[in-house]
Amino acid sequence: MDKIVNLKLWPEKYRVHLKLLFYFIVYRSFQYLLILVGPNEQFDTSTIIFLRKVTPEANSTINNFWNHNLWNKLLSWDSIFFIKGITKELLDSPEYEFELMFSRIWVQCVRFLLKCMNISMIKENFYVILKFTILLENLLHFSSVLLIYHLTLSVYAEVTATGKLVTKYTQNIATLASILFIFTSGSGFFISIYSEPFSFFLTFIGIYIREICLVKSQNTYSNISLQLKDGVYPFIYLVGSTSMFTLATLNRSNCILLGLFYLYDLLCLILNLTTKNKSLPILRQIILGPLLSGMTMLMIIVYFWYYIPFNEFCPSGGEWCNSSLFNGVNSTYFITRQSFYSYVQGKYWNVGFLNYWTLSNIPNFLIGMPQFLILVKSIQYFFHKYKKYGVNGKHTIIPLIMITIFLILVILFVAHVQIINRVSTFIPLHLWYISELIVSQGLRNSDSSFSDKSKKPGSKFDLLLIKLYLGWLFFWIPIQTILFGVFLPPA
């Protein structure tokens, strides 16, 4: 039997936090060391051109040892556009239409924090601004590591008559999932100032808020219908999860899939109406919970994705301005056939259905394939486990299965497939899949009498796939980091 540990054992949590911090610092230091000793000449010259415009006494500043060997190299690919947005006073940004696609939310948050720190937007402060933003990126990533730990404890926690308890088994899964997130497949980009860490930080907070607002059954594997806790919890659900999911989506468009949480909750609560006598309390939960949350999220997204850009760029914005979905309806004139974001992506990056399916992109498919495979297997694993044994924390696991399926389909058939390595980081499903199987295998190896089938270690193929995936991360992340530092694909 597992040793039962009360969730209120804070010293144990602090020890885990310190261990995670140690791993994170060592890992990041290794990545920055790779950048430091890597080639100094970048394949693309846009970084050096930009730096000559925004730094004083350009040659001496740019060629400073640390700037030349480390900080300049971190301005590769998308990061050059994020820093242009953050320091827009220095270079009359944005210069081009497509630069508007690089998260205004992330840029504005950084600018707000710089203002709070009293860091002026002058050329002499350029490297101070860059270092501050990189520090913020790392803080967001590490904070998300801690969020994964606590979210996992909550999702996997067992509920008894005396309160919420977590077994040693669950603690091990939470710790391993957190460690895996340090070495996440997109971390070669997160040494710089990409916007993904801000989105997965917000996403994990939103999922955690939603998780604590749900009623959990004392029977781990019961089929209890979804319910929200009484009192203030529906309001916390509405304000907390909606604000986090909406900001995450405005920052990274793929996070719109988080709205599936509200669709799932709405359907479950509607089913409760037909099976329970307490229809009025459930109806209140429906209105204050997923219905109002989903509608609020949708309206804010429409406002930012359609209304603002339409009024900013039209009628002089060309073909996009003439693609209104409801011609002749004055109140919805700004709703076009595709958002401005999707339009610019298609125009400048050839994003569209099967547009990326060419022979020249076979290497990019191969680079993204390990992440696709581990996501698909995590879906299969939890779906099978739910059907056969039930799933602990199923009201969080099942919506994540839906979100993962839709993300795979969109990235595989519409987007640039290699970006799956960084845009899938807001979904923890594969972390739990890997962690469950590794921990379960450890239990099986250490105790031959272990017989809990719900914690089975998985098939030989599952374990082989996990070994291959972790081996791939071991080799790929350093390569990804070095390629990023010299401004070479894949981006």
Side-chain angles (χ1 to χ4, degrees):
M1 294 293 292
D2 293 344
K3 180 182 178 182
I4 300 297
V5 182
N6 196 295
L7 278 172
K8 295 183 179 180
L9 289 178
W10 290 105
E12 173 64 23
K13 289 185 178 182
Y14 289 145
R15 285 194 290 271
V16 174
H17 292 175
L18 288 173
K19 182 166 66 172
L20 292 172
L21 178 60
F22 174 76
Y23 290 153
F24 185 85
I25 291 174
V26 170
Y27 173 60
R28 270 293 189 268
S29 299
F30 171 70
Q31 286 188 288
Y32 287 124
L33 180 62
L34 289 177
I35 296 293
L36 186 66
V37 301
N40 290 324
E41 299 300 323
Q42 292 185 319
F43 178 77
D44 193 297
T45 60
S46 57
T47 298
I48 197 68
I49 293 172
F50 169 74
L51 290 172
R52 285 172 179 164
K53 295 179 180 178
V54 297
T55 56
E57 301 176 359
N59 289 332
S60 61
T61 305
I62 294 171
N63 292 322
N64 169 284
F65 176 82
W66 289 105
N67 294 343
H68 182 62
N69 291 285
L70 179 62
W71 304 114
N72 295 349
K73 297 178 190 177
L74 298 178
L75 291 176
S76 298
W77 294 104
D78 293 1
S79 58
I80 190 70
F81 299 110
F82 286 120
I83 198 66
K84 286 180 73 174
I86 293 166
T87 61
K88 62 182 182 180
E89 290 90 345
L90 305 183
L91 192 61
D92 192 26
S93 295
E95 293 182 281
Y96 307 104
E97 179 184 55
F98 67 83
E99 291 180 21
L100 296 169
M101 298 303 98
F102 296 91
S103 184
R104 291 183 177 184
I105 299 294
W106 169 233
V107 165
Q108 291 302 322
C109 285
V110 175
R111 287 172 59 82
F112 172 76
L113 291 174
L114 287 168
K115 186 176 181 180
C116 292
M117 298 292 292
N118 201 28
I119 300 175
S120 303
M121 289 293 173
I122 57 177
K123 290 185 176 182
E124 287 75 13
N125 283 343
F126 176 80
Y127 281 103
V128 175
I129 295 168
L130 175 60
K131 293 171 188 176
F132 175 84
T133 311
I134 290 172
L135 175 62
L136 181 60
E137 180 103 348
N138 283 285
L139 288 174
L140 286 171
H141 190 171
F142 178 68
S143 298
S144 301
V145 171
L146 298 182
L147 283 168
I148 282 289
Y149 176 75
H150 290 281
L151 176 61
T152 306
L153 290 180
S154 181
V155 169
Y156 282 78
E158 297 180 6
V159 179
T160 68
T162 58
K164 184 182 287 188
L165 299 171
V166 61
T167 64
K168 190 66 177 177
Y169 169 80
T170 298
Q171 274 193 338
N172 290 340
I173 290 176
T175 302
L176 184 54
S178 305
I179 293 171
L180 287 171
F181 194 69
I182 294 174
F183 305 95
T184 185
S185 59
S187 56
F189 296 93
F190 305 153
I191 58 174
S192 183
I193 55 175
Y194 273 60
S195 59
E196 279 85 2
F198 189 41
S199 269
F200 58 62
F201 172 75
L202 295 168
T203 297
F204 298 155
I205 293 177
I207 296 175
Y208 188 73
I209 290 173
R210 175 187 173 274
E211 170 71 17
I212 64 176
C213 290
L214 300 182
V215 174
K216 300 201 75 170
S217 169
Q218 290 187 26
N219 184 348
T220 301
Y221 299 104
S222 74
N223 290 319
I224 187 172
S225 300
L226 180 141
Q227 297 177 47
L228 296 179
K229 295 176 182 176
D230 294 327
V232 74
Y233 283 99
F235 181 75
I236 294 173
Y237 175 104
L238 170 63
V239 176
S241 71
T242 305
S243 58
M244 294 299 103
F245 289 168
T246 302
L247 282 172
T249 302
L250 294 177
N251 185 56
R252 291 291 313 179
S253 62
N254 52 279
C255 290
I256 194 173
L257 295 173
L258 296 169
L260 290 172
F261 273 114
Y262 298 134
L263 181 61
Y264 173 85
D265 293 353
L266 180 63
L267 292 175
C268 287
L269 288 172
I270 289 175
L271 288 176
N272 284 2
L273 277 176
T274 64
T275 58
K276 294 184 177 293
N277 296 323
K278 297 179 180 180
S279 57
L280 286 178
I282 295 174
L283 188 60
R284 175 178 174 270
Q285 289 188 3
I286 290 174
I287 294 172
L288 291 180
L291 185 61
L292 194 52
S293 296
M295 290 178 62
T296 302
M297 181 177 176
L298 178 61
M299 287 188 294
I300 294 174
I301 290 170
V302 168
Y303 178 78
F304 277 92
W305 283 7
Y306 291 88
Y307 183 82
I308 289 180
F310 193 94
N311 284 278
E312 185 173 350
F313 299 110
C314 297
S316 59
E319 57 182 334
W320 177 73
C321 295
N322 300 320
S323 61
S324 177
L325 191 60
F326 304 103
N327 289 322
V329 182
N330 292 333
S331 60
T332 57
Y333 66 92
F334 56 88
I335 300 180
T336 50
R337 292 185 179 88
Q338 58 181 165
S339 68
F340 184 70
Y341 181 84
S342 299
Y343 167 74
V344 173
Q345 277 197 318
K347 180 178 178 180
Y348 291 99
W349 289 284
N350 195 32
V351 172
F353 184 66
L354 297 182
N355 287 356
Y356 212 61
W357 285 56
T358 63
L359 290 176
S360 62
N361 282 319
I362 288 177
N364 288 319
F365 276 85
L366 295 176
I367 288 168
M369 193 55 61
Q371 193 67 16
F372 278 112
L373 286 175
I374 205 70
L375 290 172
V376 169
K377 284 302 295 181
S378 66
I379 293 169
Q380 182 187 36
Y381 171 79
F382 281 111
F383 183 78
H384 172 76
K385 184 177 179 181
Y386 169 67
K387 295 293 288 185
K388 195 168 184 178
Y389 304 111
V391 175
N392 198 10
K394 73 171 186 175
H395 291 309
T396 296
I397 296 287
I398 294 175
L400 284 173
I401 290 175
M402 297 162 53
I403 291 168
T404 307
I405 290 172
F406 277 95
L407 181 73
I408 288 172
L409 293 175
V410 170
I411 301 299
L412 186 60
F413 293 108
V414 179
H416 295 182
V417 292
Q418 75 275 9
I419 68 170
I420 191 70
N421 287 318
R422 54 187 174 88
V423 301
S424 64
T425 48
F426 77 106
I427 302 175
L429 194 69
H430 64 293
L431 303 176
W432 293 336
Y433 161 65
I434 296 171
S435 301
E436 267 200 41
L437 291 190
I438 292 177
V439 173
S440 297
Q441 182 65 26
L443 284 173
R444 181 63 58 88
N445 291 340
S446 63
D447 184 3
S448 58
S449 64
F450 180 74
S451 60
D452 190 342
K453 292 182 179 180
S454 67
K455 299 174 183 176
K456 66 174 187 174
S459 67
K460 291 182 178 180
F461 178 78
D462 283 302
L463 296 172
L464 176 61
L465 177 65
I466 288 172
K467 289 180 181 179
L468 292 174
Y469 177 75
L470 296 179
W472 171 75
L473 287 180
F474 180 80
F475 287 102
W476 170 243
I477 292 176
I479 294 171
Q480 181 190 61
T481 302
I482 294 170
L483 290 174
F484 178 82
V486 293
F487 217 133
L488 283 172

